[in-house]
Amino acid sequence: MKNTSYKNKQFVLLGMTFLSVAGIAGCSKVELAQSTVTLELGDELSENVADYLQDPDEKILKGASLDLSAVDETKVGSYNAAVAYDGKNYPFTVEVKDTTSPQCKAKDYIYMQPGTLIVDDLVTEIKDASETSSGIVSCERKDDLAACDYDDMLQKKAVVDTTDSYDEADYQESVQLDEEGCYEVTAQVKDSEGNFTDITLNVYVDGTAPELAQNVIDLDVDASGISIDDINTDDAEKIADMLHELPDFSNAEWAAASDAFCGDNAISYEFEQKSFNLQKENPVEVLNVHCTVQDKAGNENEADYEVTVTYTGLDAEALLEKTGLILQTSDNNENEKNSSNSDSKSGTINNQKVAKTGENQDVDDFGMTDDEWVAMFEAMTPDEKDAYLHSLWNYDQDNGTNQSGYYNSDYAQQVFAMVNQERADNGVAALTWDSSMASYSDRRVMEITTDFSHNSAGGEMNVGENIAKGAVSPEMAMDGWMRSDGHRANILNASYTKISVSCYYDGYTYYWVQNFAY
């Protein structure tokens, strides 16, 4: 046997020690954190190998790999997976499960008209990793609507829980709620794995529309913010539009709607001007207002109002003077003071106050001065002059007795057409015929046969007015009015949008009335 020196023995021992240490290091142990990994459907698996090992050292983490290729995260099931290290596989199982109840958005309450309630009215925005189905599973009438409180309803909250599971065979797509009252309704959403969510809420069924209590309104509006001095003469026709915009109907307490249940009705308004009167100390506008009210269930009601708006804080006299509009005095004493009779021309003088000049002018039946009347008479044809003078002579001789009169609607329509032709020739928009105002004009033309003035014995209507008598044709009536500054101003007033005309023949004399409105 060959002896080995001490040094040689020491080398061998060192070598064996090295080999032993190396052997231990090469056999590092791999331990899985768990044999089964549970994944909630819809979540994602970690791709970090450290999450699948129990206290791994650095060497294993560097050398290990993860195999998840067989796992389908989108389907419930059991799948094989493994960690590979140093040529070996360490298998584990991935269980994909769905244990989460469906999420959905639910209303706190429903306020509706009688009709069909569907499940989509109750629950929306359903979210779940599995397929879902839903339906109404319970509907019970609790109270009469009269026993319910609207404000309490607004505080109600839907109850969402997972207490009671219903068979899908009991699901209803809709229920019919035809009787007013409060219903407790439950809907359920269930996924394919049997997880479910219940939503229970109150449904208030209301089929009664709100009522609008008032139909005649007087409204005072502060117009002091409009400065007459700031209005240019060229812009005078815009003054009516400026005033119209002042009434605020958006929160009008005078048209408040009453409702047996709903305390939060929505009211909207559409209005048009019926008349506008500058004759009084404060301008007065009459509006036709169409009011619509709707409760939160969608029940709707409508009503028409006549609203008289008095504009306070506005200098009407200054406005008249600025704009050049005609002020027709309606006060009896004032008319008596400003009226007289004369045998010249047609036998009657009608005095008007013309705001443009601020002075009283003696005018005839057409509102013309002497010079204006002469110009009109000279412009007549011989036949027109004879007819005109003959009518005056007959009237004076018979003193208006034994008359056989009639309305001449054909003449009235011819005047209507002539007015719009004059407006077109002067760049002013055409007027529309107002049938409702025509009956007023018919009454007025009858009144002026005995009282040739702007006094209306049968009740006033806030309109502009031209009157005349003696003209034997529509052309002659229009010629006379157009030669008079005041009457011409009415005919060409761009703020007016409506007109009615009446012509009455009493057997001797033609009487004419034009009425204008905004």
Side-chain angles (χ1 to χ4, degrees):
M1 184 174 181
K2 188 176 180 178
N3 292 327
T4 304
S5 67
Y6 172 78
K7 287 186 177 180
N8 286 335
K9 289 181 179 180
Q10 188 179 34
F11 176 79
V12 171
L13 289 173
L14 286 172
M16 292 175 65
T17 301
F18 175 78
L19 290 173
S20 175
V21 172
I24 293 174
C27 295
S28 296
K29 190 175 181 180
V30 174
E31 293 186 12
L32 295 172
Q34 49 190 350
S35 60
T36 300
V37 174
T38 300
L39 177 69
E40 185 66 27
L41 184 66
D43 292 346
E44 294 183 358
L45 276 171
S46 170
E47 296 183 358
N48 184 0
V49 68
D51 294 335
Y52 299 89
L53 300 179
Q54 181 71 40
D55 300 327
D57 61 30
E58 192 68 24
K59 184 177 181 180
I60 292 176
L61 290 178
K62 289 181 179 180
S65 62
L66 185 62
D67 181 8
L68 301 174
S69 59
V71 179
D72 187 347
E73 300 170 323
T74 66
K75 294 182 180 179
V76 172
S78 181
Y79 303 93
N80 295 323
V83 173
Y85 176 70
D86 197 20
K88 294 182 180 181
N89 284 334
Y90 298 87
F92 61 95
T93 301
V94 176
E95 294 284 352
V96 180
K97 296 183 177 181
D98 184 359
T99 62
T100 304
S101 297
Q103 297 180 355
C104 57
K105 185 176 181 180
K107 297 181 180 179
D108 290 329
Y109 63 86
I110 291 178
Y111 181 28
M112 60 177 283
Q113 297 179 25
T116 303
L117 178 71
I118 63 175
V119 66
D120 289 343
D121 294 331
L122 302 171
V123 289
T124 57
E125 301 181 21
I126 299 173
K127 296 179 181 178
D128 195 85
S130 300
E131 292 185 1
T132 62
S133 58
S134 58
I136 298 173
V137 294
S138 175
C139 180
E140 178 184 358
R141 189 176 185 278
K142 294 171 56 180
D143 295 305
D144 291 334
L145 198 64
C148 301
D149 185 274
Y150 181 77
D151 291 332
D152 288 345
M153 180 196 76
L154 301 179
Q155 307 303 318
K156 294 290 185 182
K157 299 293 181 183
V159 176
V160 180
D161 60 37
T162 56
T163 303
D164 299 316
S165 179
Y166 295 86
D167 193 317
E168 290 186 37
D170 297 330
Y171 284 9
Q172 299 179 71
E173 178 66 26
S174 65
V175 291
Q176 192 69 21
L177 305 179
D178 293 329
E179 185 181 359
E180 287 190 343
C182 176
Y183 296 79
E184 185 175 87
V185 182
T186 300
Q188 184 172 90
V189 181
K190 183 181 290 187
D191 64 23
S192 58
E193 297 303 305
N195 306 295
F196 63 89
T197 301
D198 294 335
I199 300 96
T200 301
L201 52 83
N202 285 339
V203 177
Y204 298 84
V205 179
D206 182 2
T208 305
E211 293 184 0
L212 291 159
Q214 303 180 45
N215 57 14
V216 178
I217 304 300
D218 290 318
L219 190 65
D220 289 334
V221 172
D222 183 7
S224 58
I226 296 179
S227 174
I228 304 301
D229 294 335
D230 296 336
I231 300 174
N232 296 325
T233 303
D234 294 340
D235 297 331
E237 63 188 44
K238 299 179 181 178
I239 184 62
D241 292 334
M242 297 171 64
L243 292 174
H244 299 167
E245 295 174 359
L246 292 178
D248 181 12
F249 300 131
S250 60
N251 296 305
E253 295 180 358
W254 44 265
S258 60
D259 191 281
F261 179 66
C262 183
D264 191 17
N265 300 301
I267 304 178
S268 60
Y269 307 93
E270 295 178 357
F271 66 94
E272 62 178 8
Q273 188 189 66
K274 182 177 181 181
S275 63
F276 187 68
N277 184 9
L278 282 169
Q279 299 176 11
K280 301 181 180 180
E281 178 182 356
N282 295 310
V284 176
E285 180 181 32
V286 179
L287 300 173
N288 289 326
V289 180
H290 183 74
C291 180
T292 303
V293 59
Q294 187 178 79
D295 65 21
K296 292 299 182 180
N299 300 297
E300 189 173 279
N301 205 351
E302 297 178 324
D304 290 314
Y305 296 77
E306 183 174 276
V307 181
T308 300
V309 184
T310 301
Y311 296 99
T312 60
L314 187 68
D315 189 340
E317 233 177 274
L319 175 62
L320 287 166
E321 187 172 352
K322 187 84 173 182
T323 59
L325 300 175
I326 298 174
L327 175 63
Q328 298 171 347
T329 308
S330 59
D331 181 77
N332 290 334
N333 294 330
E334 188 70 17
N335 277 296
E336 290 173 2
K337 182 174 67 175
N338 289 334
S339 298
S340 62
N341 292 324
S342 171
D343 291 334
S344 64
K345 297 186 285 292
S346 62
T348 304
I349 291 179
N350 170 43
N351 286 343
Q352 294 179 337
K353 196 180 289 183
V354 181
K356 189 170 185 178
T357 62
E359 299 175 357
N360 290 335
Q361 296 182 354
D362 287 342
V363 294
D364 68 356
D365 299 341
F366 287 105
M368 291 187 289
T369 64
D370 291 343
D371 291 341
E372 290 172 339
W373 185 87
V374 169
M376 181 195 75
F377 189 78
E378 289 178 349
M380 294 180 186
T381 66
D383 290 342
E384 287 177 336
K385 290 179 180 178
D386 289 343
Y388 178 62
L389 295 173
H390 181 72
S391 68
L392 297 179
W393 183 86
N394 282 339
Y395 186 84
D396 289 339
Q397 292 296 314
D398 295 345
N399 197 25
T401 60
N402 300 319
Q403 299 176 15
S404 177
Y406 62 89
Y407 289 97
N408 193 325
S409 59
D410 181 59
Y411 274 8
Q413 288 299 315
Q414 289 184 51
V415 169
F416 170 49
M418 292 177 186
V419 167
N420 278 336
Q421 185 60 55
E422 290 288 353
R423 290 171 71 90
D425 293 343
N426 287 273
V428 184
L431 300 173
T432 58
W433 184 271
D434 191 324
S435 298
S436 62
M437 195 164 60
S439 59
Y440 174 79
S441 297
D442 287 345
R443 174 165 61 81
R444 287 290 300 123
V445 76
M446 183 63 73
E447 288 177 344
I448 65 173
T449 64
T450 56
D451 179 13
F452 193 77
S453 71
H454 290 288
N455 298 325
S456 178
E460 295 180 7
M461 187 173 183
N462 293 322
V463 296
E465 182 174 275
N466 288 341
I467 61 176
K469 76 174 184 180
V472 295
S473 67
E475 292 82 3
M476 183 177 175
M478 277 297 295
D479 184 62
W481 278 326
M482 291 301 292
R483 291 174 183 274
S484 166
D485 290 341
H487 296 80
R488 179 187 174 90
N490 270 347
I491 292 171
L492 300 182
N493 188 333
S495 295
Y496 288 138
T497 62
K498 302 174 184 179
I499 187 176
S500 61
V501 182
S502 289
C503 173
Y504 184 77
Y505 181 66
D506 68 355
Y508 303 102
T509 303
Y510 282 97
Y511 295 85
W512 308 80
V513 168
Q514 291 177 326
N515 287 124
F516 305 88
Y518 296 103

